[in-house]
Amino acid sequence: MAHTSHSHSQTNLAQTTDAHAQAHHVIEVRTYVLIYIALMLFLAATVAASFMPLGAFHLPVAMTIALIKAVLIVLFFMHVYYSAPLTWITAVGSLLWVGLLLAFLLSDYLARGWLHILGK
């Protein structure tokens, strides 16, 4: 009986420790430094791309680099990478929602010259 009680308390302790570790995950400083260096390299890539003769590809290149930087920030600085699956679902849903809003915004902006409205 004492053995069962002892193993039960160890299980509770392990669950409590796991829950605590999941709630308060500590990221190593080395990871933060590596992400910071990556963000600075992507910043330099953004500046370098602005001086390159890319023509119509300036916006897609800049948006791709910005998306990569945003994903790195969300995953590591906002701790989504180490969070529960519900947090992942919320983050991905929010990203899809922002993408949908940007798609509608760009479709409106790009289609403004298509109609010839009298008096305008």
Side-chain angles (χ1 to χ4, degrees):
M1 181 73 179
H3 178 70
T4 304
S5 174
H6 180 67
S7 66
H8 182 69
S9 66
Q10 282 184 339
T11 304
N12 285 341
L13 180 62
Q15 289 175 349
T16 306
T17 304
D18 288 343
H20 181 75
Q22 187 178 9
H24 302 285
H25 183 81
V26 177
I27 300 174
E28 296 179 19
V29 174
R30 180 175 182 262
T31 303
Y32 283 124
V33 171
L34 289 175
I35 298 299
Y36 175 76
I37 290 170
L39 289 173
M40 290 299 111
L41 290 175
F42 282 119
L43 175 66
T46 303
V47 173
S50 70
F51 290 110
M52 297 176 81
L54 297 176
F57 292 105
H58 271 285
L59 181 63
V61 168
M63 292 301 286
T64 302
I65 294 171
L67 180 67
I68 293 170
K69 290 190 293 187
V71 167
L72 285 174
I73 289 170
V74 167
L75 288 179
F76 293 101
F77 288 117
M78 296 175 72
H79 299 254
V80 170
Y81 185 75
Y82 302 102
S83 297
L86 183 60
T87 305
W88 275 87
I89 292 171
T90 304
V92 171
S94 300
L95 184 65
L96 289 175
W97 182 249
V98 168
L100 187 66
L101 291 175
L102 286 175
F104 282 127
L105 174 77
L106 284 176
S107 69
D108 179 46
Y109 180 74
L110 295 175
R112 288 192 176 185
W114 292 359
L115 297 177
H116 298 287
I117 299 173
L118 295 176
K120 184 178 175 187

